Amino acid sequence: MSSTQGTPLDYDVLVIGSGAAGLTLALQLPSHLSVAVLSKADFESGSTWMAQGGIAAVLEPDDSAEDHIRDTLVAGADLSRPEAVSHIIHEGPTSIQWLIDQGVPFTRENDHYHLTKEGGHSHRRIIHAADATGRAVHSTLLQRATEATNISLFDQHVAIDLITRRKLRLPQNRCIGAYVLNSRSGHVQAFRAKQVVLATGGAAKAYLYTSNSDGSTGDGIAMAWRAGCRVANMEFNQFHPTCLYHPQAKSFLISEAVRGEGGRLLLPDGTRFMPAFDERAELAPRDIVARAIDHEMKRLGCDCVYLDISHRPAGFIKEHFPTIYQRCLDYGIDITRDPIPVVPAAHYTCGGVMTDSEGRTDLEGLYAIGETAFTGLHGANRLASNSLLECIVFGMAAARSISNALEQSQFETVELPHWDESLVTNSDEDVIISHNWDELRRFMWDYVGIVRTTKRLQRAQHRIELLLQEIAEYYSNYRVSSDLIELRNLATVAELIIRSAISRKESRGLHYTLDYPKAAQERMDTVLSPLNFQWPDSVR
């Protein structure tokens, strides 16, 4: 690896992240603007690509925005912001029509789009492309971006840190770009931009078991935090109730739509158990279903529970869940005959970088959209299939805001210093990175998981402080790699999750603690600010 390559690459807009949110924003920008879109891995990766269920929107006359808003607020345990919920849901039909216009092949039934129902929803309102909606959306938008002459796509490019005027000791702080590692060449390249967008997804990889891809390491949240932005509600980590339990099935999700179409959760002896926990049974919100499964697994000492949809016709199952059917069949499970072994797994980060209704953060020139952002939509628990909806709505809103900002303002070109590697060496102890990664994910699962206690959280806090010190020392002395960048970001986000969880003295939504089992009367977001945040001395 050598130092930064030559002159910075210049763009009007730099989009860090290539999922549904980032690609929507890039495609919505005027064609005269130059746009760079970065993907840390291959483009056919990430949370959007893996999303199965669909997108929630009001698309039928017997449904209403008011019902969708109510369902979202109920799932969010009274912590969602009503104005944000109303805005996003009212924009839903427009967003879906835009996706249709782009060519997304949503599943049709006769002369209508087929809509399914998922947990927490009072109506069938989930539009989908069989059971691979994310892939259909992502591949369509990626093709449109490839065809756009103003959009440059960079895969295998890992953002290291944002560049701000304050870091360069210049007045009038704002974001002016980012340092980025080209994983193929090993070079660090500066990208300079008038507007920067974080669309890097969530941080579910902080946990040992997750439905997410390896890239869900909270990069955007960590970079924004280091640049001075506030984050909110990081304690609300959604655990999807049903991930395939199989030694060879890494991170494979069994869509909520399986339960929406009649799938029943069973104990190893075949007994159905969800009706004892909630009158909505398998269609209760995810936090309730995940806690019920966790409770039964611990009570019985079993490794998994089972999701059974074999009572539905085989043709129906194969038509509606072709991806799940084939993947399970590859592991010797015929879901038309056999129940599916499932366990809960970390799935979605409901908190994130605080933004306004257009995706703007605390830092001028920096936007955050998608799972990276805290918009107020999800509250203490995300309603199923609202995530892709939020990506599209905020991708469009942020694009409008950026376009207006670039039309109305002049931007000074700032000379960017090269990435300094003069005082670091190549590491000969990469085993430290893998060891720290494994330790972090294990204690987060054990101590900051589905059910929490104050003692467990304090243990996690002690361990993360030690890890942060060790990672900071390592980062200061060795050349960066993609693994080191991700570990540094993941440790930062884990610290934010732990501190947020410790500060919430109640159980609400996804945050359940045995020490405070009831919800408090006062409803408050957990907001952390870098300005009053105390790091360990050796980490500053």
Side-chain angles (χ1 to χ4, degrees):
M1 186 187 297
S2 62
S3 60
T4 300
Q5 290 284 289
T7 306
L9 299 179
D10 278 300
Y11 291 90
D12 292 315
V13 183
L14 171 63
V15 183
I16 304 175
S18 60
L23 290 175
T24 295
L25 181 140
L27 290 167
Q28 285 279 317
L29 289 169
S31 59
H32 66 272
L33 297 177
S34 60
V35 184
V37 178
L38 309 185
S39 174
K40 67 190 295 186
D42 297 330
F43 286 110
E44 291 80 9
S45 62
S47 295
T48 298
W49 186 265
M50 297 175 70
Q52 295 177 353
I55 309 174
V58 176
L59 302 172
E60 291 291 343
D62 63 345
D63 195 3
S64 70
E66 289 70 27
D67 285 348
H68 192 177
I69 290 169
R70 184 178 61 252
D71 294 342
T72 301
L73 294 174
V74 169
D78 295 322
L79 202 61
S80 301
R81 296 184 174 181
E83 65 279 5
V85 174
S86 178
H87 167 69
I88 293 167
I89 286 169
H90 278 100
E91 290 295 319
T94 300
S95 299
I96 297 300
Q97 186 58 54
W98 180 76
L99 290 174
I100 292 171
D101 293 342
Q102 299 307 303
V104 177
F106 291 116
T107 297
R108 298 187 70 91
E109 188 174 64
N110 299 322
D111 58 344
H112 290 82
Y113 287 106
H114 181 266
L115 303 180
T116 190
K117 186 178 182 181
E118 296 180 344
H121 289 275
S122 57
H123 295 271
R124 284 183 171 266
R125 62 167 70 100
I126 315 301
I127 190 170
H128 61 100
D131 61 348
T133 306
R135 179 177 297 188
V137 170
H138 191 263
S139 59
T140 301
L141 298 185
L142 185 60
Q143 180 61 37
R144 295 289 173 266
T146 303
E147 296 166 353
T149 58
N150 66 314
I151 298 175
S152 299
L153 300 171
F154 297 84
D155 64 348
Q156 303 296 332
H157 278 64
V158 185
I160 303 170
D161 257 327
L162 299 171
I163 306 171
T164 65
R165 289 178 62 91
R166 177 180 294 164
K167 288 182 179 178
L168 302 182
R169 293 180 168 81
L170 297 174
Q172 299 177 326
N173 192 35
R174 65 173 287 115
C175 188
I176 55 176
Y179 288 114
V180 178
L181 172 67
N182 181 333
S183 297
R184 288 195 180 94
S185 68
H187 296 307
V188 177
Q189 175 71 59
F191 281 72
R192 185 165 47 201
K194 298 170 183 175
Q195 303 286 340
V196 178
V197 182
L198 296 172
T200 60
K205 205 66 180 179
Y207 290 92
L208 184 61
Y209 302 109
T210 174
S211 65
N212 286 198
S213 65
D214 289 341
S216 297
T217 50
D219 302 331
I221 298 170
M223 286 189 289
W225 175 259
R226 289 193 293 266
C229 296
R230 292 172 299 162
V231 300
N233 286 6
M234 291 299 296
E235 69 270 36
F236 296 119
N237 313 107
Q238 186 176 81
F239 291 80
H240 197 288
T242 54
C243 264
L244 178 62
Y245 179 74
H246 190 281
Q248 298 175 343
K250 181 182 178 183
S251 305
F252 186 71
L253 188 72
I254 305 300
S255 170
E256 186 144 352
V258 174
R259 284 179 283 132
E261 295 296 342
R264 301 165 183 164
L265 284 164
L266 308 175
L267 297 177
D269 66 359
T271 303
R272 191 179 176 201
F273 61 90
M274 274 310 302
F277 288 88
D278 193 281
E279 62 182 9
R280 293 164 290 187
E282 283 81 6
L283 291 180
R286 289 176 177 175
D287 60 323
I288 295 173
V289 180
R291 277 200 302 274
I293 295 174
D294 182 72
H295 172 85
E296 291 300 305
M297 287 173 59
K298 289 176 178 175
R299 181 178 69 86
L300 297 173
C302 55
D303 293 327
C304 65
V305 296
Y306 294 85
L307 179 60
D308 186 18
I309 196 170
S310 61
H311 54 279
R312 298 299 303 270
F316 174 89
I317 294 171
K318 293 177 183 178
E319 178 185 356
H320 286 267
F321 307 110
T323 305
I324 295 173
Y325 170 76
Q326 187 57 54
R327 180 65 67 88
C328 288
L329 198 62
D330 291 343
Y331 297 126
I333 305 165
D334 183 351
I335 68 173
T336 67
R337 300 179 179 181
D338 307 316
I340 309 166
V342 294
V343 293
H347 182 61
Y348 192 87
T349 306
C350 287
V353 183
M354 294 189 72
T355 74
D356 66 6
S357 61
E358 296 180 330
R360 292 177 294 202
T361 71
D362 294 331
L363 178 60
E364 183 71 23
L366 181 68
Y367 289 73
I369 55 177
E371 194 175 352
T372 303
F374 166 78
T375 65
L377 171 64
H378 305 304
N381 181 25
R382 176 175 69 88
L383 182 65
S385 292
N386 270 355
S387 53
L388 285 176
L389 175 65
E390 183 185 37
C391 287
I392 308 305
V393 171
F394 268 82
M396 298 170 78
R400 289 192 296 269
S401 178
I402 288 172
S403 179
N404 291 335
L406 291 175
E407 287 180 5
Q408 298 170 9
S409 302
Q410 297 294 320
F411 297 90
E412 174 190 0
T413 299
V414 177
E415 188 68 25
L416 302 184
H418 285 189
W419 181 258
D420 185 6
E421 294 182 332
S422 60
L423 300 178
V424 298
T425 61
N426 290 318
S427 170
D428 59 357
E429 297 183 356
D430 284 351
V431 66
I432 294 174
I433 297 176
S434 60
H435 175 80
N436 286 352
W437 182 291
D438 184 65
E439 180 183 352
L440 185 152
R441 297 178 67 210
R442 286 185 181 277
F443 74 65
M444 287 294 289
W445 182 264
D446 291 338
Y447 299 148
V448 200
I450 296 173
V451 177
R452 302 165 178 176
T453 67
T454 301
K455 182 177 287 187
R456 292 174 190 169
L457 294 174
Q458 289 171 343
R459 287 173 177 162
Q461 184 177 35
H462 174 68
R463 281 160 174 76
I464 196 60
E465 288 175 355
L466 295 175
L467 268 183
L468 282 167
Q469 293 171 4
E470 189 169 313
I471 292 167
E473 181 182 356
Y474 194 95
Y475 183 82
S476 300
N477 289 288
Y478 297 106
R479 288 193 172 94
V480 294
S481 65
S482 58
D483 287 343
L484 177 56
I485 294 166
E486 290 184 333
L487 175 63
R488 178 182 182 229
N489 290 335
L490 206 59
T492 297
V493 172
E495 166 82 357
L496 299 175
I497 293 171
I498 294 164
R499 286 187 175 263
S500 298
I502 287 175
S503 70
R504 186 167 291 279
K505 308 299 184 184
E506 65 164 348
S507 289
R508 184 181 297 276
L510 300 166
H511 175 74
Y512 184 80
T513 169
L514 296 176
D515 294 317
Y516 302 94
K518 296 186 180 299
Q521 288 189 340
E522 187 176 12
R523 301 188 297 272
M524 295 182 63
D525 293 320
T526 303
V527 179
L528 300 180
S529 171
L531 299 179
N532 55 27
F533 192 81
Q534 295 298 312
W535 292 98
D537 290 339
S538 59
V539 182
R540 290 176 182 159

